[in-house]
């Protein structure tokens, strides 16, 4: 099945998109070498936020915890179409999630279909509370390539400790419905990835979630570490297993593991919030580093080349520690060398 995913992704790789990837990677490498922000091409990967509203109150999520300072709303299909019309020939991969539950926006699946009609690879992440028969068929019909489904417990008590207001049986039924619809319609997509956030209260359930993934018939299981903001949150939620600890915990504070060197994201990806505002990456959850707005007379290519973006890349190259949203991120080129 992994070979199928690669084949599916490569279907979206036209010569023009491939050349854009080469230019983007080359501009990042050149910027690293010269310590000067150079930009060629546009980002191959674009994240789009269908909505920042959610049906759950997950305590470590900006939306669920009530710490979202951006106005809540849903992206209009016209906003997405304007974005894609300007970059479809060169962008390759569209990720449909940020803060919020995508299925709360009725324009989400039409947007996926619009992207697929332009030959783009598409992915989303969902809590699966809206995967009824109707939405399962619509999702397959839209052509969605991949879907991450969050299941963070194998009992209702374990699941709802983090997925507050969530219904585990509704989620599992939704997954089974989608798997069955794929078989009935003879569709290999969407590729379903079951995601399990490893936390202190559920880490003992890893063997059982592995068995559940097989029983459900999903394509892959993802075991993922969690992100916290404070020392107190780390003590409450961080698993005891060192393998899944994102942070080094001290006597009174925490420090993220990794996050070394220059991060390639400001050269290789970008994020568009539901209202059309453009930010550097998913760690800017409240839009503190807005680079422009595609609903304000600007197109994405113009925003990508603006002075604000250049200044952000310059700071990334020369003083990453001064960027607030990078302090809790473990990404960076230095992790790999």
């Amino acid at each position: 099945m992994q070979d199928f995913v690669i084949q599916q992704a490569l279907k979206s790789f036209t010569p023009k998109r491939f050349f854009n990837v080469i230019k983007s990677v080359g501009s990042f490498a050149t910027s690293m070498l010269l310590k000067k922000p150079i930009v060629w091409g546009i980002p191959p990967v674009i994240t789009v936020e269908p909505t920042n509203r959610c049906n759950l109150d997950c305590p470590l999520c900006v939306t669920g915890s009530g710490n979202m300072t951006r106005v809540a709303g849903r992206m209009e299909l016209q906003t997405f179409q304007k974005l894609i019309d300007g970059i479809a020939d060169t962008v390759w991969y569209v990720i449909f999630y940020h803060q919020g539950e995508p299925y709360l926006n009725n324009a989400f699946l039409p947007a996926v279909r619009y992207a697929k009609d332009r030959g783009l690879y598409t992915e989303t992440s969902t809590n699966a509370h809206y995967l009824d028969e109707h939405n399962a068929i619509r999702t397959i019909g839209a052509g969605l390539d991949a879907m991450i489904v969050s299941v963070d417990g194998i009992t209702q008590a374990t699941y709802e400790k983090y997925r507050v207001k969530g219904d585990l049986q509704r989620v599992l039924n939704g997954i089974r419905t989608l798997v069955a619809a794929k078989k009935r319609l003879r569709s290999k997509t969407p590729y379903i990835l079951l995601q399990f956030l490893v936390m202190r209260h559920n880490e003992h359930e890893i063997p059982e979630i592995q068995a559940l993934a097989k029983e459900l018939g999903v394509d892959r299981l993802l075991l993922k570490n969690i992100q916290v903001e404070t020392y107190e949150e780390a003590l409450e939620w961080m698993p005891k297993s060192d393998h899944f600890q994102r942070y080094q915990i001290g006597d009174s504070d925490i420090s993220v593991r990794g996050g070394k060197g220059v991060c390639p994201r400001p050269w290789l990806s970008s994020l568009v919030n539901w209202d059309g505002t453009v930010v550097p990456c998913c760690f800017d959850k409240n839009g503190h580093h807005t680079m422009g707005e595609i609903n304000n007379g600007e197109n994405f290519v113009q925003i990508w080349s603006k002075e604000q973006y250049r200044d952000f890349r310059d700071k990334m190259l020369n003083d990453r520690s001064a960027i607030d949203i990078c302090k809790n991120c473990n990404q960076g080129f230095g992790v790999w060398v």
Side-chain angles (χ1 to χ4, degrees), residues 101-122:
E101 168 53 46
Y103 281 92
L104 288 175
N105 185 347
N106 290 331
F108 160 53
L109 290 177
V112 172
R113 182 71 266 169
Y114 194 82
K116 290 306 299 177
D117 287 343
R118 304 299 291 269
L120 300 171
Y121 189 86
T122 57

Side-chain angles (χ1 to χ4, degrees), residues 4 7 9 14 17 48 58 82 122 141 154 201 206 212 220 281 283:
F4 165 74
Q7 293 170 9
T14 64
R17 289 170 182 159
V48 174
C58 306
K82 179 180 179 182
T122 57
I154 55 95
H201 69 280
I206 289 177
L212 179 61
R220 186 180 174 189
C281 78
F283 274 83

